[in-house]
Amino acid sequence: MQKKIAIIGGGIVGATAAYYLSKLPGTQRLEVTLFDSGVGQATKAAAGIISPWLSKRRNQRWYQLAKSGADLYPELIHDAQLGTEVYQQTGTIVTREEATDLETLFALAQERRQTAATMGDVSTLTAQEVQAKVPLLSKPQPGVFITGGARVDGDALVHALLDRASEKNLTVRQERVSLTPDGQVVTSMGPRHYDRVILAAGAWLKDLVAPLAVTADVRPQKGQLIELAVKDYELQENMPVVMPEGERDFIPFGHGKLIVGATHEDDGKFNLTPDATVTADLLGSAQRLMTGITANDISGVRVGTRAYSSDFAPFFGPVPEHELFLAASGLGSSGLTTGPQIGRLLAGSALYGGTPDWSEYELPLTTYLRSSAE
């Protein structure tokens, strides 16, 4: 008998869940349908940095989740047979202007490396050594270099994972769907029943679960980044990602493409219109570290909507009192780091059932999902 699973949302969580639902043991009798409207998705507007180890966030559950997400990437990329245009461990450079701040950062890196083998080697670099690794920078700062850091193109990753899953048991439908109070998925062809439903709709989760009389602690945040056409250095594909102190992140890709960003705009919410003022701010950040860059070098602007919870922590798991549904949201700006691990865990739960203990990674789900009657 075929088991039917629906996924609502085709971002990093939904796409990874779909991929694992095509690969895990027991998926031969599985039919998976993914619904996504294609509008506003944070993942497709993102070019991410996979380097959580030097984060100052004090939330240890978040750190364990982010660390496990970074650990998962090499395995996921290898198994899905994806190339360096999607993901590459180029290394990460985190800069500091003050020598004492650099020493503190290096000490933190050495400490965390003891429990994070994926970090690779850790070293300090002078400003000149940073420039040698990233010649795009004409005004470099000294920094800490982590060889295990990586860059990932969110849009390319999502498309590739969905393509792999579609070769097996996945059907993708580009449409916005809703839920009925009794747990059916309302599609363009009418209500449909599924054995399990994964709700991976990001900032749209709040509206999605409302018919279930559930309130989700989720708010939207607008994020923008710019693509710059820069000098195409021979080894640009291997340039490390740079996280400059006080400036936007620099993510070099091959063939003369540089990503700068991203912003965190609480007032923007679901607004997907590029803001000229924000674009100028991002360009200004690039110009403070590079010479010769002008507005004419902007080759594209990406805009998406992130989801945040009140305590800035992601949450995922069975919806309280609605065990048919598995939900995930609140990933914020670290979605490309934590999302694959969340998607993998949700896929396993949807397929095998049970009540897995994910307390290592998150607070109880009732912290974020509550009955509207409460």
Side-chain angles (χ1 to χ4, degrees):
M1 186 177 191
Q2 291 290 96
K3 183 176 182 179
K4 296 183 178 182
I5 295 179
I7 302 172
I8 302 177
I12 187 61
V13 173
T16 309
Y19 172 75
Y20 280 106
L21 285 171
S22 74
K23 297 289 289 184
L24 290 171
T27 59
Q28 297 86 351
R29 296 182 177 271
L30 200 62
E31 291 182 6
V32 183
T33 305
L34 184 144
F35 299 94
D36 188 278
S37 68
V39 177
Q41 186 189 106
T43 304
K44 291 183 178 179
I49 301 171
I50 310 302
S51 185
W53 307 287
L54 299 188
S55 171
K56 292 183 178 179
R57 292 178 65 161
R58 297 181 180 180
N59 185 331
Q60 286 302 307
R61 290 184 178 88
W62 174 87
Y63 178 69
Q64 291 302 323
L65 178 63
K67 182 162 71 74
S68 67
D71 290 343
L72 178 63
Y73 258 101
E75 174 189 324
L76 173 62
I77 297 300
H78 176 270
D79 290 348
Q81 299 181 335
L82 306 182
T84 56
E85 73 281 359
V86 175
Y87 168 90
Q88 187 172 5
Q89 284 186 310
T90 55
T92 305
I93 300 173
V94 183
T95 71
R96 291 291 183 268
E97 292 184 355
E98 300 295 330
T100 54
D101 294 339
L102 191 66
E103 292 172 3
T104 300
L105 189 67
F106 181 59
L108 175 63
Q110 289 180 306
E111 175 188 340
R112 290 194 166 167
R113 186 173 178 270
Q114 303 306 312
T115 58
T118 311
M119 282 181 69
D121 297 325
V122 176
S123 60
T124 57
L125 301 176
T126 65
Q128 291 73 25
E129 290 170 331
V130 169
Q131 188 177 48
K133 288 186 176 295
V134 189
L136 288 171
L137 300 175
S138 54
K139 303 173 185 178
Q141 302 166 333
V144 172
F145 179 50
I146 303 169
T147 61
R151 56 152 171 81
V152 60
D153 188 312
D155 188 29
L157 176 61
V158 162
H159 277 102
L161 292 176
L162 293 180
D163 285 345
R164 299 293 185 273
S166 297
E167 295 170 358
K168 299 291 183 63
N169 59 3
L170 175 68
T171 300
V172 178
R173 298 181 62 86
Q174 187 170 339
E175 61 177 282
R176 186 178 294 277
V177 297
S178 59
L179 304 178
T180 64
D182 62 352
Q184 296 191 80
V185 179
V186 182
T187 74
S188 59
M189 297 184 293
R192 293 289 185 270
H193 171 77
Y194 292 90
D195 297 293
R196 299 301 296 274
V197 182
I198 296 176
L199 308 176
W204 289 265
L205 180 68
K206 189 169 188 175
D207 290 339
L208 188 60
V209 298
L212 304 177
V214 172
T215 299
D217 176 15
V218 177
R219 63 175 175 83
Q221 183 192 77
K222 183 178 183 179
Q224 300 183 69
L225 53 76
I226 59 173
E227 296 181 10
L228 292 171
V230 296
K231 181 179 178 180
D232 188 3
Y233 287 86
E234 183 178 353
L235 298 178
Q236 187 175 0
E237 290 185 9
N238 300 314
M239 284 187 194
V241 170
V242 183
M243 304 173 73
E245 184 177 21
E247 300 294 348
R248 308 295 185 182
D249 296 331
F250 278 43
I251 311 172
F253 283 80
H255 311 295
K257 182 172 76 172
L258 173 69
I259 301 293
V260 180
T263 61
H264 296 75
E265 305 166 51
D266 288 331
D267 293 339
K269 298 183 179 180
F270 292 103
N271 182 351
L272 299 176
T273 303
D275 187 314
T277 302
V278 174
T279 299
D281 176 70
L282 291 167
L283 177 62
S285 186
Q287 290 171 329
R288 284 188 286 276
L289 294 176
M290 302 172 62
T291 58
I293 295 294
T294 72
N296 293 330
D297 297 308
I298 298 176
S299 57
V301 180
R302 303 188 191 181
V303 186
T305 303
R306 305 186 190 94
Y308 276 93
S309 62
S310 293
D311 63 359
F312 301 96
F315 59 88
F316 58 97
V319 177
E321 301 182 20
H322 298 275
E323 301 299 311
L324 165 70
F325 297 97
L326 294 159
S329 190
L331 278 64
S333 58
S334 62
L336 282 174
T337 302
T338 60
Q341 176 70 328
I342 293 173
R344 185 182 72 85
L345 294 173
L346 292 182
S349 181
L351 182 60
Y352 305 126
T355 55
D357 180 7
W358 292 327
S359 59
E360 177 186 7
Y361 299 137
E362 62 176 348
L363 292 172
L365 211 59
T366 50
T367 307
Y368 311 98
L369 297 173
R370 299 187 178 94
S371 170
S372 301
E374 293 182 11

